[in-house]
């Protein structure tokens, strides 16, 4: 006896049930909107990686200026 398996999946974007079937062109998302949002976040993270020059700047800002008195 076969059980009917409903191939539902939590949408990676909003968590709502999404169909994992060919009828759903946006799988594993529930809709085009969620798919677009996810891709947008992915690319956003990729392009928001700070450049090395920014790291150097923040490290330099932590050091006291050479002329400032040092607390003992
Ligand atoms: Zn969704």
């Amino acid at each position: 006896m076969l059980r009917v398996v409903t191939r539902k999946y939590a949408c990676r974007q909003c968590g709502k049930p999404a169909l994992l079937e060919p009828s759903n062109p946006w799988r594993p998302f529930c809709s085009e909107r969620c798919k677009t949002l996810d891709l947008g976040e992915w690319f956003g993270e990729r392009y928001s990686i700070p450049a090395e020059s920014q790291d150097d700047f923040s490290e330099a800002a932590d050091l006291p200026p050479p002329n400032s008195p040092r607390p003992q």
Side-chain angles (χ1 to χ4, degrees), residues 11-18 28-31 33-35:
C11 170
R12 284 170 48 184
Q13 181 61 34
C14 69
K16 291 180 182 176
F29 305 97
C30 68
S31 65
R33 179 176 162 273
C34 284
K35 185 173 185 176

Side-chain angles (χ1 to χ4, degrees), residues 39-69:
L39 286 178
E41 287 182 5
W42 197 84
F43 281 112
E45 286 182 15
R46 185 177 183 181
Y47 287 114
S48 69
I49 294 175
E52 289 185 12
S53 59
Q54 284 182 314
D55 287 339
D56 292 341
F57 182 80
S58 62
E59 285 181 16
D62 288 339
L63 296 174
N67 293 335
S68 70

